[in-house]
């Protein structure tokens, strides 16, 4: 079918890193308790409160809105880095009592993705300890973190296997839901458990990990193990092409070399890294070393694939003082091919129809749309052979803003 002359068809981008529940935090963490500027700890306090309070029903309604917003923005697939596995007291879903469906939180995300018509790679996350202190000491799980943990790596892997079956049953041939794996961080999983996962996890599954997001993580890992987080992954044999290192912001030259030599994926989340003040990672150096760049929206302070693409290059320009660190073709590849590779997804025909006559795009060359367009220019979104969204409205679910309004009305405790 021919397109209107004022539009162009482009491959649909992929969101390689998402925490759907973080959407609750948008516009709520920029002020401190007494009206001053919000800090990282303001954000963390709100994040943990949200993580503690969510139920499967609430999460399904919230995630449906989040995935609908993603689809309307132009994302065709999402890697959901998920660790809210159990009830907030740490007991598994599937036992007696309310919310007794096994894998209730994971299936809530699956149902939300099916409703939104977006491809979901559920990155089921191993989280076993509360973190590392500045001196390298291992911290116990706190009250909120109990729901993240399966107790042991073997316990996580056993539940992970059962989840794969449940997710396949839920997908029922739709072709939208697949299972991947994640390690929360080297702070949350000890070296022996990293090696256990390397030996026992299906080698075909993508494996993601938060890596060197902040200097404090590097310092604690060095104090605990005498290695950087990347050095620890290298020692335990995890730096492989299936590995995706998320953020990878604070790296040494040796870290960059190891990640490049292992042809790892690097999932940059530029708008989140800016929002949290994490810093600007060495994307150009990583790509030159042999790593593959992908992009994610992480906490959804912004949900716009074009703004993530633009921020990747703008961050590089600010960091280096040089223009043109990534070509428009490289930026578009990070948003599409890099995301598919990171999530272990095959090539497909998902695509967008983008307006070329808006106030932002008029006069732009098609190849340079990553540096001029925004989600407001996405006229149509086609996923898995279906027209899923057009001009900011979901074809089945309607306006995502109304979905959010309904969520906050139903669950005022998050307002």
């Amino acid at each position: 079918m021919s397109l209107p002359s004022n539009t162009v068809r482009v491959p649909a981008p992929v969101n390689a890193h998402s925490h759907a529940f973080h959407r609750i935090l948008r516009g709520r963490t920029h002020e401190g308790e007494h009206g001053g500027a919000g800090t990282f700890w303001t954000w963390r306090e709100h994040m943990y409160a949200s993580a503690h309070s969510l139920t499967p029903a609430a999460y399904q309604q919230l995630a449906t809105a989040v995935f609908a917003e993603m689809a309307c923005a132009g994302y065709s697939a999402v890697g959901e880095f998920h660790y809210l596995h159990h009830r907030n007291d740490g007991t598994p879903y599937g036992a007696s009592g309310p919310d007794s469906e096994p894998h209730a939180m994971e299936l809530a995300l699956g149902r939300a993705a099916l409703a939104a018509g977006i491809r979901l790679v559920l990155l089921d996350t191993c989280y076993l300890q509360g973190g590392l202190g500045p001196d390298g000491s291992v911290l116990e799980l706190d009250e909120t973190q109990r729901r993240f943990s399966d107790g042991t790596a073997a316990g996580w892997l056993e539940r992970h296997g059962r989840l794969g079956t449940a997710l396949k049953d839920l997908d029922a041939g739709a072709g939208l839901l697949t299972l991947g794996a994640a390690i929360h961080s080297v702070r949350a999983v000890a070296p022996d458990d990293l090696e256990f996962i390397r030996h026992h996890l299906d080698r075909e599954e993508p494996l993601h990990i938060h890596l060197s997001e902040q200097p404090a993580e590097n310092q604690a890992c060095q104090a605990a193990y005498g290695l950087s987080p990347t050095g620890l992954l290298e020692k335990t044999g995890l730096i492989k092409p299936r590995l995706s290192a998320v953020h990878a912001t604070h790296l040494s030259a040796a870290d960059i070399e190891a990640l490049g030599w292992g042809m790892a994926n690097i999932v940059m989340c530029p708008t989140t890294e800016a929002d949290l003040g994490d810093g600007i990672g060495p994307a150009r150096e990583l790509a030159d070393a042999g790593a593959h760049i992908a992009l994610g929206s992480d906490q959804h302070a912004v949900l716009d694939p074009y703004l993530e693409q633009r921020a990747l290059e703008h961050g590089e320009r600010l960091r280096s003082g040089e223009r043109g660190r990534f070509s428009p073709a490289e930026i578009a590849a990070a948003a599409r091919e890099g995301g598919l590779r990171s999530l272990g997804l095959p090539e497909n025909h998902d695509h967008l129809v983008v307006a070329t006559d808006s106030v932002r795009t008029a006069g732009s060359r098609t190849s340079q749309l990553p540096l001029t367009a925004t989600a407001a220019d996405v006229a149509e979104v086609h996923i898995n052979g279906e027209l899923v969204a057009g001009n900011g409205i979901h074809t089945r679910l309607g306006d995502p803003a109304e979905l959010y309004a309904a969520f906050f009305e139903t669950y005022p405790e998050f307002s």
Side-chain angles (χ1 to χ4, degrees):
M1 185 175 68
S2 62
L3 296 175
S5 59
N6 60 342
T7 64
V8 65
R9 172 173 166 160
V10 299
V14 171
N15 187 344
H17 187 70
S18 161
H19 299 291
F21 80 93
H22 285 194
R23 172 57 182 83
I24 294 170
L25 308 179
R26 187 187 292 177
R28 302 184 61 81
T29 65
H30 300 286
E31 290 181 344
E33 184 177 353
H34 302 294
T39 66
F40 173 79
W41 299 106
T42 309
W43 178 89
R44 188 179 188 274
E45 179 183 343
H46 281 271
M47 188 271 284
Y48 265 60
S50 299
H52 187 75
S53 300
L54 274 172
T55 64
Y59 207 7
Q60 183 171 334
Q61 186 172 355
L62 173 64
T64 299
V66 173
F67 294 156
E69 184 187 4
M70 278 187 204
C72 289
Y75 286 116
S76 60
V78 56
E80 181 63 29
F81 198 107
H82 170 71
Y83 48 85
L84 305 184
H85 302 307
H86 307 299
R87 296 187 179 99
N88 62 12
D89 63 359
T91 59
Y93 291 104
S96 60
D99 295 324
S100 60
E101 180 184 38
H103 313 295
M105 292 295 265
E106 290 80 8
L107 294 181
L109 289 166
R111 292 181 180 115
L114 290 172
I118 195 169
R119 299 183 193 274
L120 171 70
V121 179
L122 186 61
L123 298 167
D124 183 49
T125 303
C126 185
Y127 197 122
L128 301 177
Q129 59 192 32
L132 296 173
D135 60 354
S137 59
V138 175
L139 306 180
E140 296 294 325
L141 295 165
D142 66 21
E143 182 182 7
T144 296
Q145 291 169 328
R146 288 181 302 178
R147 79 180 309 179
F148 306 166
S149 179
D150 293 292
T152 65
W156 168 75
L157 196 64
E158 192 275 332
R159 184 188 53 75
H160 184 76
R162 289 186 283 107
L163 173 59
T165 300
L167 206 63
K168 185 176 181 180
D169 290 344
L170 180 64
D171 185 63
L176 291 177
L177 308 182
T178 56
L179 183 66
I183 295 161
H184 181 271
S185 60
V186 299
R187 294 175 289 110
V189 180
D192 287 348
D193 294 315
L194 295 176
E195 293 194 4
F196 180 92
I197 291 168
R198 177 175 68 85
H199 282 294
H200 295 283
L201 182 67
D202 184 341
R203 295 178 184 271
E204 298 301 313
E205 284 193 44
L207 179 64
H208 287 223
I209 184 170
H210 293 129
L211 189 76
S212 293
E213 184 175 3
Q214 296 180 340
E217 176 187 340
N218 291 355
Q219 294 158 8
C221 186
Q222 187 72 39
Y225 309 122
L227 294 165
S228 70
T230 299
L232 183 58
L233 294 186
E234 185 177 31
K235 180 180 179 181
T236 52
L238 286 170
I239 301 182
K240 302 288 185 183
R242 71 149 168 191
L243 182 76
S244 289
V246 181
H247 303 303
T249 306
H250 302 281
L251 302 179
S252 68
D255 293 336
I256 293 169
E257 181 181 7
L259 291 164
W261 182 259
M263 295 185 293
N265 307 290
I266 308 297
V267 184
M268 300 288 190
C269 304
T271 62
T272 285
E273 288 146 9
D275 181 80
L276 296 181
D278 287 338
I280 301 170
R284 182 70 264 170
E285 290 88 339
L286 284 159
D288 289 344
H292 298 262
I293 307 299
L295 295 171
S297 66
D298 196 352
Q299 62 155 331
H300 320 311
V302 173
L303 262 176
D304 187 324
Y306 283 114
L307 293 186
E308 299 294 350
Q309 291 172 70
R310 191 124 75 248
L312 173 68
E313 170 63 13
H314 286 178
E316 278 292 306
R317 293 181 185 186
L318 290 169
R319 185 174 69 88
S320 68
E322 299 175 359
R323 197 166 187 265
R325 298 281 285 176
F326 286 94
S327 71
E330 288 177 307
I331 297 169
R336 168 72 180 184
E337 289 85 1
L340 292 173
R341 187 179 191 274
S342 171
L343 297 179
L345 292 172
E347 185 55 71
N348 56 55
H349 298 291
D350 299 342
H351 65 277
L352 311 180
V353 175
V354 181
T356 57
D357 62 349
S358 77
V359 69
R360 292 164 297 277
T361 61
S364 292
R365 294 174 177 168
T366 298
S367 64
Q368 296 187 34
L369 286 174
L371 291 159
T372 60
T374 72
D377 300 307
V378 175
E380 294 181 7
V381 183
H382 296 258
I383 304 172
N384 205 29
E386 178 187 355
L387 174 62
V388 171
N391 297 310
I393 302 299
H394 198 279
T395 54
R396 285 186 270 125
L397 299 174
D399 188 344
E402 294 179 4
L403 299 179
Y404 284 125
F407 169 77
F408 286 113
E409 182 178 357
T410 304
Y411 299 99
E413 62 268 32
F414 295 112
S415 297

